Amino acid sequence: MDSLKAGNPSVHTTCPYCGVGCGVVASPDTRQPVAGDAEHPANQGRLCVKGASLHETTGHEGRLLFPVIRGHRAGWDKAIEEVAKAIRSSMDAYGPESVAFYLSGQLLTEDYYVANKLAKGFIRTPNVDTNSRLCMSSAVAAHKRAFGADVVPGCYEDLELADLLVLAGSNAAWAHPVLYQRMKTAAREGRRVVVIDPRRTATSELADLHLPLRPGTDTVLFNGLLGWLADGDGLDQAYIDHHCQGFGEALASARAAAPDVASVAKQCDLPRQDVETFYRWFTSTPRTVTAFSQGINQSVAGTDKGNAIINCHLATGRVGKPGAGPFSLTGQPNAMGGREVGGLANTLAAHMDYDSPDSRSKVAGFWGTSSVADGPGLKAVDMFEAVHRGDIRVLWIMGTNPAVSLPDSTRVREALALCPTVIVSDCVSQTDTTAHADILLPAAGWGEKDGTVTNSERRISRQRSFLPLPAEVKPDWWIVSSVAGKLGFAEAFDYDRPADIFREHAALSAHENGGERIFNLAGLAGLTDTGYDALEPVQWPVLSGAGATGSSRLFTDGRFVTDDHRARFVAINTILPEQKACDGYPMVVNTGRIRDQWHTMTRTASAPRLLAHRSEPFIEVHPHDMARLKLLEGHLGRLTLKNDHFVGRVRSSGEQRPGEVFIPIHWNRQFASSAVATVLTESVTDPVSGQPEAKHGRASLTPFRASWHGRLLVRRNRPRRWLADYWCHVPLHHCDSWWIAGGQPVQWQGAVSDWLGGAAHVVMADPAQGCFRAARIINGQLEAVLMVDHDPARIPKAGWLDDCFSEPELSESSRRTLLAARDVDVEDPGAIICSCFQVGERQIGAAIADGVESVQGLGDLLRCGTNCGSCIPELRNLIDGSVGERV
Ligand SMILES: Nc1nc2c(c(=O)[nH]1)N[C@H]1C(S)=C(S)[C@@H](COP(=O)(O)OP(=O)(O)OC[C@H]3O[C@@H](n4cnc5c(=O)[nH]c(N)nc54)[C@H](O)[C@@H]3O)O[C@H]1N2
Ligand SMILES: Nc1nc2c(c(=O)[nH]1)N[C@H]1C(S)=C(S)[C@@H](COP(=O)(O)OP(=O)(O)OC[C@H]3O[C@@H](n4cnc5c(=O)[nH]c(N)nc54)[C@H](O)[C@@H]3O)O[C@H]1N2
Ligand code: SF4
Ligand SMILES: [Mo]
């Protein structure tokens, strides 16, 4: 904050997207682009394109600006009173368990802390869970089983120091881009990378070995590795003897499940020599890090997968050492902070669980309440089932969009519709979840809110506010504390600022902590307000005295936080469910992230350049399946499970395994007609962690028969008077736009005014080609454009037309080429590959045709790939002439 004191208005804060937790320098003048914070240890100045676009997402369009009660705007007094009344009457009539909180890893630690305290300590409902259940809970459970506590032992530097980097179920190139850049930059002679993922992703670009295993079979692969280590003199027997327990049982299970390499290769559907290569590299490389993410966690066997990985690290003594350790990559900016405060239903607070001795009375004593909730509450999927049954009658959702992100989201929406009182705190007004809210509470967003977050390497960083709170918007901690006050708990929630809450949270972590809880912020409990404002990024534990500088690695001495300080091997004998691709739904549906969108798109879709890379939901299909199912590249396809559908643009991809498709999780009912991935993933959960299996849905796949395809561009905020079987909303810089398609032929000449919002002024029709284009111009300004064709590939790109909407008076030349949709003198760049500099596939293709042979050469010529670097894998693909971007 020195810069602030010096009168420079820039503020050092933290990116609100992924768990890398990059430092950002932002300005209250939101026209100024944000910059990477060169001094932040996570990113050292780097940003990915999402981070670099943050200033474009802080506008007020679409924001929830006032409390709303049953459709009517209300003041805060009334809203707080209504929330308190609903909670109180449900507690009185049905007991405290009838009230539930569903929180989020995107809340700040301070917000999270007060919500957890109110629920578990004062309302005394155990039913508090968080979207981290869908994200990190398998890793949490695996850490607890192995180490005795939910601890990531290593730090980011380990990913650079490792001589063997194993990336299991992680597409870091797209999901943790800055960390991926760090891994990439650390490449050196002899450093090897293995990527374990059923599909070949952008991350595989870094791989010396890619293992496209059969989905779900990771436990077999790592069980096989444990047996191989034992057979081949790969064990660190001294470490096992002195620091671990349970090796014998774990090895016996491993041998039973994966007797030899041939069996592993068969079960995982991998070439035997590739499995062997992986095993040999692992055995011979002391500095090995296995980083894992959702391909591991989001599985019926997620916890077992995590422990199968950790087993191999324990067996080789590779935990908490420079360049060696298992490394769970967290997803959300504060996934880790939520675990610290105890946001998960099976935890209490500050890494204390219900089952650890005295923790309930310790926490109750500290909070000044007579008791806390009795025991663990319902985990997310079960919580929404209880809502559906009517057992939970008041549900307060903060900072998450469960109508899109929970599995079997059709049933989740039913539950929300049945629930007597749904309270939603969010920053935006229209989401698939706010649609079901009885009470809507406007929450502060990034730039407005103030507090702390913890990243994947346990590093606590400040998110500082630099923008005023718009309209009636309030921070989440204030909203929760106000409701607590109204419920009669004012004394325990008497906070004036986030620093008050942080000090309390830090003090609770140290409270009666004789070292049995490794999460300890004793050194931060006495922070002054100024100290809190100036807090530099620091890794917990932060002990008092000499330990106050934080801790980069844990368990370095092989002492763990179990009763006997030994780590536990876990016997992994997961019986994989039979491949359930049957009964008419033969395709396995894998779901995940794309590079430039964040979750349900509430923020990233407001930055048009983030929609340039992929503007539509898509289905990636292996070429054999394309041919077999008569699917056409660039046309639409439909995945069906029972009565639910996902419609997206078909992309032929040799990077898929046959019989498996990949779809993005981002689109939802606000942005597309039917592209919610979670209607295809059922509510199957891991028995230990309760984390849903989000990577293994099932569906049938057919072409979506459209007789026409189109693109519609309309001046922003115009009423919509059209219907289409397929639509996808793509907000552009100067107008709104939609991809559209329909099954029935349309007489365009007669219907065009519905689409354009009035009569067309320029029309071009070629019925023989199935082509129709029309535009509407009002007072010299472009008002709307419609482009229709039977072949979607012939519909022009919208970039040039978008610019036309900004012209106060359309120029004569623009008018002339309006329906060609481009300035005839300027080359069409093609599909955007580099979002930072908006460089397209055609430009890149032309440069390659002109002889550019390297990514660096492309960067020198076109600047692509020279900022965040996220597009480098795709640039390399284009150079290699292998599978590049197609739509
Ligand atoms: N751009 C972007 N970045 C994000 C996010 C975002 O929304 N957008 N979200 C953030 C969040 S909350 C999270 S949790 C992280 C997630 O980060 P990641 O986990 O890296 O991302 P995903 O795309 O969900 O899944 C990773 C990979 O798991 C693979 N996979 C599927 N099944 C299996 C399997 O059985 N075994 C193995 N080994 N792999 C499998 C998928 O093919 C996929 O490539 O990303 C964070 N970063
Ligand atoms: N099929 C399938 N399903 C998945 C996944 C998958 O890979 N496949 N991934 C899962 C994972 S890992 C995750 S993390 C979830 C993510 O899923 P969600 O958490 O449901 O997705 P978001 O879009 O991030 O929702 C966050 C909401 O909070 C709002 N918000 C942002 N900041 C704040 C704030 O400070 N306060 C408040 N009150 N609101 C705020 C945003 O506007 C948005 O509406 O999805 C899960 N679901
Ligand atoms: S990698 Fe990108 S999204 Fe993740 S924290 Fe850094 S800038 Fe934000
Ligand atoms: Mo996540």
Side-chain angles (χ1 to χ4, degrees):
M1 295 286 278
D2 292 346
S3 51
L4 263 188
K5 284 192 207 116
N8 179 338
S10 67
V11 171
H12 291 247
T13 180
T14 311
C15 174
Y17 296 123
C18 83
V20 179
C22 297
V24 173
V25 185
S27 159
D29 176 358
T30 52
R31 286 163 308 183
Q32 299 290 325
V34 297
D37 182 348
E39 285 155 37
H40 197 288
N43 56 318
Q44 297 141 0
R46 300 174 179 93
L47 286 182
C48 76
V49 64
K50 293 184 296 304
S53 308
L54 273 167
H55 59 287
E56 297 169 35
T57 64
T58 50
H60 296 170
E61 200 172 330
R63 283 292 298 270
L64 175 62
L65 293 170
F66 308 94
V68 179
I69 303 174
R70 292 180 190 86
H72 300 286
R73 178 175 163 178
W76 271 112
D77 285 352
K78 180 78 183 143
I80 299 289
E81 193 183 306
E82 281 288 309
V83 173
K85 208 166 74 187
I87 292 175
R88 177 61 70 191
S89 46
S90 193
M91 286 167 72
D92 291 348
Y94 303 96
E97 305 77 30
S98 66
V99 178
F101 288 71
Y102 187 54
L103 310 175
S104 161
Q106 289 164 77
L107 296 172
L108 301 176
T109 298
E110 292 74 4
D111 301 326
Y112 230 136
Y113 176 87
V114 288
N116 190 55
K117 176 178 175 183
L118 172 62
K120 290 177 184 159
F122 291 82
I123 295 172
R124 296 200 190 112
T125 174
N127 293 327
V128 183
D129 209 32
T130 136
N131 64 357
S132 280
R133 182 68 58 198
L134 319 177
C135 179
M136 302 316 307
S137 60
S138 296
V140 171
H143 289 150
K144 284 185 171 177
R145 291 206 296 192
F147 307 141
D150 174 22
V151 171
V152 173
C155 57
Y156 291 162
E157 192 191 26
D158 293 329
L159 299 162
E160 295 166 327
L161 294 176
D163 295 321
L164 175 63
L165 199 50
V166 183
L167 293 165
S170 152
N171 185 10
W174 284 11
H176 298 94
V178 165
L179 212 47
Y180 175 80
Q181 287 305 320
R182 287 183 60 171
M183 301 179 211
K184 194 170 149 64
T185 311
R188 59 192 174 274
E189 188 66 32
R191 198 279 300 265
R192 291 184 178 120
V193 178
V194 177
V195 171
I196 303 170
D197 192 313
R199 30 172 222 141
R200 197 182 153 76
T201 60
T203 304
S204 315
E205 187 235 3
L206 207 57
D208 300 286
L209 177 66
H210 170 223
L211 298 175
L213 82 182
R214 174 179 288 134
T217 58
D218 305 76
T219 53
V220 177
L221 186 66
F222 283 92
N223 263 337
L225 174 57
L226 193 65
W228 174 280
L229 290 166
D231 292 340
D233 205 20
L235 301 175
D236 182 339
Q237 199 61 50
Y239 191 90
I240 297 173
D241 292 345
H242 290 113
H243 302 300
C244 308
Q245 267 205 16
F247 180 67
E249 294 86 333
L251 183 61
S253 282
R255 290 206 199 281
D260 52 35
V261 176
S263 159
V264 172
K266 182 152 184 275
Q267 294 185 69
C268 299
D269 192 20
L270 290 170
R272 187 187 159 139
Q273 63 274 26
D274 287 355
V275 176
E276 260 188 43
T277 304
F278 169 47
Y279 287 2
R280 270 192 280 106
W281 288 355
F282 194 102
T283 309
S284 62
T285 317
R287 286 193 166 199
T288 294
V289 169
T290 307
F292 59 99
S293 191
Q294 300 313 340
I296 298 300
N297 297 341
Q298 288 173 341
S299 157
V300 270
T303 312
D304 279 355
K305 286 186 183 187
N307 283 113
I309 291 171
I310 296 172
N311 281 349
C312 294
H313 278 268
L314 289 172
T316 46
R318 296 175 193 159
V319 177
K321 296 186 176 154
F327 200 106
S328 149
L329 296 168
T330 57
Q332 298 176 90
N334 203 25
M336 187 75 94
R339 287 144 70 175
E340 291 154 16
V341 302
L344 290 162
N346 47 320
T347 61
L348 185 49
H351 275 215
M352 280 176 270
D353 286 347
Y354 289 98
D355 53 5
S356 55
D358 307 333
S359 49
R360 286 184 62 241
S361 58
K362 266 189 209 172
V363 174
F366 182 87
W367 281 343
T369 177
S370 56
S371 71
V372 296
D374 291 341
L378 295 170
K379 296 174 183 153
V381 169
D382 296 335
M383 181 187 277
F384 279 81
E385 266 310 303
V387 174
H388 204 286
R389 274 197 310 276
D391 292 350
I392 288 172
R393 307 183 58 85
V394 177
L395 176 62
W396 189 348
I397 298 166
M398 276 176 228
T400 175
N401 194 353
V404 184
S405 53
L406 274 170
D408 195 357
S409 54
T410 304
R411 189 162 172 87
V412 169
R413 291 199 305 143
E414 269 170 38
L416 290 171
L418 289 168
C419 185
T421 308
V422 177
I423 304 155
V424 180
S425 303
D426 207 296
C427 313
V428 304
S429 62
Q430 286 181 357
T431 73
D432 291 4
T433 300
T434 61
H436 293 279
D438 299 286
I439 304 174
L440 272 171
L441 305 172
W446 183 77
E448 301 153 5
K449 58 185 186 175
D450 201 54
T452 54
V453 289
T454 311
N455 73 2
S456 297
E457 57 167 359
R458 291 175 279 104
R459 192 180 294 280
I460 300 171
S461 296
R462 288 277 280 111
Q463 248 192 46
R464 296 186 172 94
S465 59
F466 57 92
L467 297 170
L469 292 172
E472 304 263 316
V473 165
K474 295 284 185 192
D476 288 292
W477 68 265
W478 181 93
I479 302 173
V480 176
S481 303
S482 304
V483 169
K486 201 74 189 171
L487 284 166
F489 312 126
E491 208 184 319
F493 291 83
D494 184 19
Y495 307 114
D496 290 328
R497 55 185 68 82
D500 295 338
I501 305 168
F502 186 82
R503 280 187 287 267
E504 183 179 314
H505 162 63
L508 175 57
S509 73
H511 179 63
E512 296 182 28
N513 186 351
E516 68 281 7
R517 278 144 40 214
I518 201 160
F519 172 66
N520 190 335
L521 303 182
L524 300 175
L527 271 186
T528 59
D529 289 350
T530 329
Y532 178 75
D533 279 343
L535 184 67
E536 295 290 339
V538 61
Q539 284 172 288
W540 65 255
V542 189
L543 304 176
S544 16
T549 50
S551 321
S552 52
R553 292 186 187 87
L554 297 172
F555 310 137
T556 46
D557 55 359
R559 270 173 76 82
F560 294 88
V561 271
T562 50
D563 298 345
D564 55 8
H565 300 295
R566 285 164 178 269
R568 298 289 188 272
F569 281 95
V570 179
I572 305 298
N573 39 27
T574 324
I575 312 226
L576 291 172
E578 281 296 304
Q579 292 273 355
K580 51 188 176 175
C582 52
D583 55 10
Y585 304 108
M587 302 303 288
V588 171
V589 180
N590 181 3
T591 68
R593 284 142 180 89
I594 61 169
R595 197 186 73 191
D596 293 359
Q597 284 305 317
W598 177 261
H599 292 173
T600 68
M601 303 172 68
T602 54
R603 289 170 286 165
T604 37
S606 62
R609 73 165 148 155
L610 295 181
L611 277 164
H613 179 237
R614 299 280 167 94
S615 67
E616 266 184 301
F618 58 85
I619 309 173
E620 273 170 352
V621 186
H622 190 275
H624 291 168
D625 294 322
M626 295 280 296
R628 196 168 55 81
L629 300 169
K630 303 195 167 42
L631 294 161
L632 292 175
E633 169 76 27
H635 283 242
L636 293 167
R638 187 206 312 256
L639 289 159
T640 301
L641 176 64
K642 297 172 193 161
N643 296 320
D644 288 308
H645 305 285
F646 179 104
V647 179
R649 199 67 66 187
V650 172
R651 298 168 59 89
S652 172
S653 167
E655 303 170 354
Q656 282 298 122
R657 291 162 47 94
E660 296 169 17
V661 295
F662 178 81
I663 56 173
I665 59 169
H666 307 288
W667 278 270
N668 53 72
R669 291 171 187 81
Q670 310 303 312
F671 292 95
S673 47
S674 58
V676 178
T678 48
V679 301
L680 306 178
T681 54
E682 291 157 296
S683 291
V684 185
T685 56
D686 176 294
V688 185
S689 67
Q691 179 153 354
E693 166 69 87
K695 296 283 184 259
H696 204 121
R698 58 188 181 132
S700 60
L701 174 58
T702 51
F704 176 92
R705 305 234 175 259
S707 63
W708 55 268
H709 296 261
R711 185 88 187 249
L712 176 68
L713 292 86
V714 181
R715 188 164 287 281
R716 199 154 276 153
N717 297 326
R718 293 297 194 257
R720 184 170 145 178
R721 299 208 314 249
W722 52 267
L723 279 174
D725 296 327
Y726 167 79
W727 59 264
C728 169
H729 185 192
V730 189
L732 299 177
H733 287 100
H734 308 293
C735 67
D736 265 332
S737 88
W738 288 267
W739 291 103
I740 44 179
Q744 297 304 318
V746 175
Q747 294 306 323
W748 292 106
Q749 293 278 14
V752 68
S753 59
D754 284 346
W755 298 81
L756 298 181
H761 298 113
V762 198
V763 175
M764 181 184 89
D766 181 354
Q769 290 292 322
C771 171
F772 180 86
R773 293 183 191 175
R776 176 169 164 80
I777 298 162
I778 298 183
N779 299 330
Q781 282 193 318
L782 185 56
E783 176 70 12
V785 181
L786 174 68
M787 302 179 286
V788 181
D789 208 296
H790 75 274
D791 178 358
R794 296 202 322 186
I795 297 171
K797 300 265 175 304
W800 180 81
L801 283 173
D802 182 31
D803 288 342
C804 290
F805 279 85
S806 69
E807 288 185 29
E809 171 118 35
L810 268 183
S811 68
E812 204 36 55
S813 71
S814 296
R815 270 174 192 257
R816 248 185 290 119
T817 58
L818 205 52
L819 296 184
R822 67 186 174 92
D823 183 340
V824 277
D825 297 330
V826 177
E827 277 290 328
D828 170 6
I832 297 297
I833 303 290
C834 170
S835 301
C836 295
F837 296 114
Q838 298 287 300
V839 185
E841 186 175 357
R842 284 214 188 121
Q843 290 166 286
I844 296 162
I848 295 170
D850 282 349
V852 177
E853 284 176 343
S854 66
V855 169
Q856 188 175 347
L858 288 174
D860 292 344
L861 190 70
L862 302 167
R863 298 180 75 197
C864 50
T866 57
N867 185 37
C868 77
S870 312
C871 62
I872 289 175
E874 286 153 89
L875 296 179
R876 173 118 43 229
N877 269 344
L878 289 173
I879 288 172
D880 292 348
S882 62
V883 199
E885 297 299 297
R886 290 187 198 79
V887 172

